[in-house]
Amino acid sequence: MDIDINTVRVARSRADCVLRPGEAFLGGGTFLYSEPVPAEVTGLVDLTGMGWEPWSVDGSGLRVAGTCTLEELLAGPGRLGASSEGPYRGLGIVGECVSALTLSAKVARTATVGGNLALGLPAGSMVGLFAALDAVAVVWTPGVATGSTGRAGSREVAVSDLVTGAGVVDLAPGELVREVRVPAVALGRRTAFRRASLTPTGRTAAMVTGRAGERAPRITVTASVAAPLSLYARDHDMLDRWIDWIGGNDGWYEDTHGSHEWRAAMTRRLAHEALEELGGAA
Ligand SMILES: Cc1cc2nc3c(=O)[nH]c(=O)nc-3n(C[C@H](O)[C@H](O)[C@H](O)COP(=O)(O)OP(=O)(O)OC[C@H]3O[C@@H](n4cnc5c(N)ncnc54)[C@H](O)[C@@H]3O)c2cc1C
């Protein structure tokens, strides 16, 4: 740990969540405390003090707080999705998406959903999970909301649009991920998960999540691309054309966890497998 800051404030109210100059939000700290803190960050605001209910479910769908830990996500929504039938079967991929992070149990006990989304890493599997489930992120804004769908002090953004590049997110300074909302209809859909990494416990290099739909399954690709990409895939030919299009637009991500050629090949295979699994009725 290399941490050189002056203050840590524990947030207890909405007013406490307004950042002062030099402050950044603290979720579980599993990333913040594993990297040198950026020079401009001189203080942290601990969101876990807000005491938000980690998750809840009702007729409108599932809500997952930004401070919900990966362990809580697994024990709650992950368990709800254990049955392959019923109103929560879409959550059947929660466990695989948590495992895709290859965190130790100790880290998973602390790491939060909001922290994973806010980091916007290509291998951030909470992005692929919630994008597949048509989730929106409720973002608390520090001032008056902007945008037509925003209420005062908050706005909503589709999780699939939240990450716009490798480590780049659609969050303005001072904005925080309050919660993620999954609509009830998506909870009841069949879902599919596939992933590839260079070694069995290595960082995820290609991840495909899918959800059955009324007209066509929706396939979402993460980890092999800088920002999530989704397609309503009517058939395998359409899927192939889309994969070709990603390559044609220089879309494959590359780092030490896999070359772009390998990631392209893996993504194609995994996407076809997911589509095959989701074929048929929603
Ligand atoms: C061994 C190990 C393996 C890892 N593997 C992966 C991996 O495979 N893929 C991956 O994506 N990450 C990985 N990580 C990074 C990190 O642990 C996870 O992304 C984790 O989910 C981050 O959550 P956190 O709550 O600990 O975030 P923190 O470290 O608390 O914060 C991370 C960033 O998000 C901001 N932030 C936190 N919460 C919010 C919020 N609610 N709203 C807005 N901003 C917020 C912080 O200001 C900070 O910039 C790994 C970390 C470790 C230690």
Side-chain angles (χ1 to χ4, degrees), residues 134-230:
D134 291 339
V136 295
V138 177
V139 174
W140 274 7
T141 59
V144 176
T146 54
S148 56
T149 59
R151 294 186 301 279
S154 76
R155 66 183 177 94
E156 294 183 3
V157 55
V159 170
S160 53
D161 294 333
L162 184 67
V163 179
T164 57
V168 186
V169 288
D170 175 17
L171 288 175
E175 289 191 331
L176 68 87
V177 178
R178 166 62 184 89
E179 68 181 13
V180 173
R181 292 184 186 162
V182 180
V185 66
L187 294 177
R189 300 271 199 232
R190 289 184 299 117
T191 48
F193 171 92
R194 295 288 189 282
R195 91 180 259 273
S197 62
L198 283 173
T199 60
T201 55
R203 180 159 285 205
T204 301
M207 185 172 128
V208 174
T209 47
R211 170 188 58 67
E214 283 297 329
R215 294 186 180 161
R218 185 164 185 254
I219 300 293
T220 297
V221 170
T222 51
S224 57
V225 289
L229 292 173
S230 298

Side-chain angles (χ1 to χ4, degrees), residues 16-277:
D16 291 340
C17 296
V18 177
L19 295 182
R20 297 171 189 159
E23 287 183 332
F25 294 118
L26 173 67
T30 62
F31 180 81
L32 275 175
Y33 291 163
S34 68
E35 298 276 319
V37 173
E40 67 275 14
V41 175
T42 55
L44 297 174
V45 177
D46 185 352
L47 295 174
T48 62
M50 291 297 285
W52 292 326
E53 189 178 13
W55 63 276
S56 64
V57 70
D58 61 20
S60 65
L62 172 73
R63 292 173 173 211
V64 178
T67 49
C68 178
T69 66
L70 299 179
E71 183 183 71
E72 289 167 335
L73 185 73
L74 196 56
R79 193 166 290 177
L80 282 181
S83 168
S84 58
E85 295 300 326
Y88 306 122
R89 62 180 175 173
L91 296 172
I93 59 173
V94 168
E96 288 159 312
C97 288
V98 171
S99 299
L101 291 167
T102 63
L103 305 173
S104 66
K106 197 171 171 185
V107 177
R109 197 168 302 138
T110 315
T112 66
V113 168
N116 191 257
L117 296 177
L119 273 176
L121 299 178
S125 59
M126 293 300 102
V127 181
L129 168 65
F130 288 109
L133 293 170
D134 291 339
V136 295
V138 177
V139 174
W140 274 7
T141 59
V144 176
T146 54
S148 56
T149 59
R151 294 186 301 279
S154 76
R155 66 183 177 94
E156 294 183 3
V157 55
V159 170
S160 53
D161 294 333
L162 184 67
V163 179
T164 57
V168 186
V169 288
D170 175 17
L171 288 175
E175 289 191 331
L176 68 87
V177 178
R178 166 62 184 89
E179 68 181 13
V180 173
R181 292 184 186 162
V182 180
V185 66
L187 294 177
R189 300 271 199 232
R190 289 184 299 117
T191 48
F193 171 92
R194 295 288 189 282
R195 91 180 259 273
S197 62
L198 283 173
T199 60
T201 55
R203 180 159 285 205
T204 301
M207 185 172 128
V208 174
T209 47
R211 170 188 58 67
E214 283 297 329
R215 294 186 180 161
R218 185 164 185 254
I219 300 293
T220 297
V221 170
T222 51
S224 57
V225 289
L229 292 173
S230 298
L231 173 79
Y232 286 97
R234 283 192 302 276
D235 55 43
H236 289 275
D237 285 346
M238 186 178 183
L239 189 58
D240 266 332
R241 287 197 298 279
W242 183 59
I243 302 279
D244 290 342
W245 172 85
I246 296 172
N249 285 280
D250 207 15
W252 301 114
Y253 185 66
E254 180 168 272
D255 63 8
T256 51
H257 303 288
S259 68
H260 61 85
E261 292 91 348
W262 179 76
R263 281 178 141 129
M266 288 299 108
T267 305
R268 190 183 298 273
R269 178 165 72 75
L270 302 178
H272 280 290
E273 287 178 11
L275 181 59
E276 192 68 32
E277 183 180 329

